[in-house]
Amino acid sequence: MTARSTHHNLWAARAGDLALALICLLGAIAFLYPFAMGRAETGFGQAHAATAPIFFALLGPALLALLIAELSAGRLNTRILAVLGVLTGVVAVLRLPAGPADSPTFFFLIILAGYVYGARFGFLLGALALLVSALLTGGVGPWLPFQMFVTGWMGMSAGLLAPLSRRLRPGGWGEIGLLAGFGYLWGFLFGALMNLWFWPFAPPGELGWMPGSGLVATLRQYAIFYAVTSLAWDAVRAFGNAVLIALLGRLVLKELRRFHNRFWFTVAEDAAA
């Protein structure tokens, strides 16, 4: 590998890191800006009616930029890209028979794939799979970019668990227990985050957000809203995540790692270059 190629890969890697950071910042802005702006619109039907298309229009090119940067940096290759395409399709199909509150017919695979292939791969898989499934089911609406952000974060955070895998036996009960607990936590976290896309637009009152409330009061109001409206559904999702990972995790991890070892390659630097 020449010094020029090394320099190019370094800049491409930095571009990928920057693209992912900007996507996460965009997601944070999308969820939190209503709290800063106050109640500009009222009613669930008006939630992000004007802004969701803007966030979606920004998210698509940002995901493409991240994908191109990862390919240029060598952190993805064409074979792993093919694996990403296949897993995106599988996750989208697994979502079709999803039970109440998007229960875990597909979440577990995003978590396991992100854990094996890394944070950036996990983010791409989570975001793209939700986009494809929405197109298949006609579930395109103002909620879609928010679902893409949250499932992307799910896959990304699973990739951040990878350093722990060095201390655990691959496929052992310690690793499966870690991932099952992680899936259980995300069962609640997914619902808690997704509620924020519409909660600021709920009618003010005991369960709705009161503009002008301080941070502590807002958190208290949301805790009440979450406990009343979402906790039971999310408990079903959390339990299902944990059970599916416990039952299928060892087999799925084995296959994901087999494809990773078979298709992944790195280019060694030529000392003579």
Side-chain angles (χ1 to χ4, degrees):
M1 180 182 294
T2 65
R4 183 176 180 180
S5 297
T6 302
H7 184 70
H8 171 77
N9 288 347
L10 178 61
W11 277 106
R14 290 177 178 174
D17 294 339
L18 178 61
L20 182 57
L22 290 176
I23 291 172
C24 291
L25 177 61
L26 178 66
I29 292 172
F31 277 100
L32 297 178
Y33 87 87
F35 296 100
M37 299 296 291
R39 189 182 302 276
E41 302 168 355
T42 57
F44 293 124
Q46 296 298 317
H48 298 283
T51 55
I54 298 174
F55 289 120
F56 185 76
L58 293 173
L59 179 57
L63 289 173
L64 180 60
L66 174 60
L67 188 60
I68 292 174
E70 293 299 295
L71 287 168
S72 298
R75 292 192 293 210
L76 283 179
N77 59 51
T78 54
R79 294 180 178 182
I80 297 297
L81 182 60
V83 173
L84 174 62
V86 170
L87 289 176
T88 297
V90 171
V91 172
V93 170
L94 286 175
R95 193 187 181 201
L96 296 179
D102 265 341
S103 56
T105 50
F106 65 100
F107 287 130
F108 81 99
L109 187 54
I110 295 174
I111 292 171
L112 296 179
Y115 177 72
V116 172
Y117 289 94
R120 297 169 189 84
F121 184 100
F123 188 93
L124 288 167
L125 174 61
L128 293 175
L130 262 290
L131 173 60
V132 173
S133 69
L135 295 175
L136 288 176
T137 61
V140 177
W143 54 83
L144 178 56
F146 299 92
Q147 290 178 327
M148 293 172 65
F149 282 124
V150 175
T151 49
W153 289 333
M154 181 190 300
M156 181 180 72
S157 60
L160 299 179
L161 292 177
L164 298 177
S165 65
R166 303 188 187 101
R167 304 179 182 180
L168 301 172
R169 183 171 62 86
W173 285 114
E175 183 177 57
I176 299 301
L178 170 68
L179 291 169
F182 183 80
Y184 185 82
L185 175 64
W186 259 104
F188 293 100
L189 191 56
F190 179 86
L193 290 173
M194 278 305 302
N195 284 347
L196 294 178
W197 89 269
F198 65 84
W199 183 62
F201 303 94
E206 184 178 356
L207 297 182
W209 174 56
M210 299 294 294
S213 300
L215 177 61
V216 174
T218 297
L219 292 175
R220 185 184 302 115
Q221 291 165 6
Y222 182 70
I224 296 172
F225 173 83
Y226 180 78
V228 172
T229 64
S230 301
L231 183 61
W233 292 113
D234 292 349
V236 173
R237 181 191 300 114
F239 178 76
N241 281 344
V243 168
L244 285 174
I245 291 174
L247 293 177
L248 303 177
R250 182 174 297 179
L251 176 61
V252 174
L253 286 174
K254 179 180 178 181
E255 292 304 311
L256 289 173
R257 284 171 170 149
R258 182 170 70 88
F259 280 103
H260 183 275
N261 295 334
R262 180 179 178 183
F263 292 152
W264 184 255
F265 63 87
T266 56
V267 180
E269 184 174 353
D270 187 355

